[in-house]
Amino acid sequence: MNPLRLFAAGTVLMFTLSMVAQQPASSTDAHPVALAPVDQHLKVLSEKLALTADQQDKARPILQEMHDGSQKLEDDQSLSADQRHAAMSELFMKSDKQMREFLTDDQKKKLDEMEAQMQGGPHDHPGGSLSSPQH
């Protein structure tokens, strides 16, 4: 995957995570319990890509590993910005590739479209980013 596509995939992923984290938990409880970031990310991807229950089960550990890895990289103050970016890119590419292994062609296309929107316009994304993991 080219560096721009990788950056776009990572941006889409991080944007999705931040959007989900900002959404209020919908609960009738007086003390609503917010979903964990991985659950929120999975929910968004499930809604946008129409993931099946089996696909959700496969995606959850991938998203968890990506979340844990990105948190670890963010917390590692010994890394320069360039080192952190490179490590994040590698992490996102790996996750994207793993996700694409069980997505349908239509789901991959939808993921590519999501990534293109995040980049600010329609771009050709044959098999790249969390919509097209080629890590």
Side-chain angles (χ1 to χ4, degrees):
M1 170 188 305
N2 72 35
L4 181 60
R5 189 174 297 166
L6 177 59
F7 179 73
T11 302
V12 169
L13 176 63
M14 295 310 290
F15 180 74
T16 302
L17 286 174
S18 66
M19 282 188 345
V20 172
Q22 293 174 7
Q23 293 178 353
S26 57
S27 174
T28 57
D29 275 347
H31 303 287
V33 177
L35 291 175
V38 171
D39 292 334
Q40 291 174 337
H41 190 181
L42 182 58
K43 180 181 179 190
V44 169
L45 287 176
S46 295
E47 290 171 357
K48 300 275 187 187
L49 303 178
L51 297 180
T52 65
D54 183 55
Q55 288 174 319
Q56 291 176 37
D57 289 344
K58 291 176 181 177
R60 183 178 307 280
I62 295 168
L63 296 174
Q64 185 68 56
E65 181 180 343
M66 183 176 60
H67 177 267
D68 293 348
S70 63
Q71 187 65 53
K72 183 177 178 182
L73 290 169
E74 285 294 324
D75 294 342
D76 188 347
Q77 298 303 310
S78 69
L79 298 175
S80 70
D82 287 343
Q83 290 171 323
R84 186 174 290 113
H85 177 75
M88 286 279 198
S89 294
E90 185 177 320
L91 180 63
F92 294 145
M93 286 186 357
K94 177 183 174 190
S95 299
D96 189 62
K97 182 177 181 181
Q98 290 172 331
M99 290 282 291
R100 286 187 177 274
E101 289 177 6
F102 57 82
L103 294 179
T104 66
D105 288 342
D106 187 50
Q107 290 169 323
K108 291 174 188 176
K109 182 179 177 182
K110 288 178 185 177
L111 184 56
D112 287 339
E113 290 169 0
M114 288 170 53
E115 291 172 357
Q117 288 176 355
M118 292 301 299
Q119 283 185 319
H123 298 287
D124 185 27
H125 290 299
S129 125
L130 186 62
S131 65
S132 349
Q134 294 182 344
H135 318 337

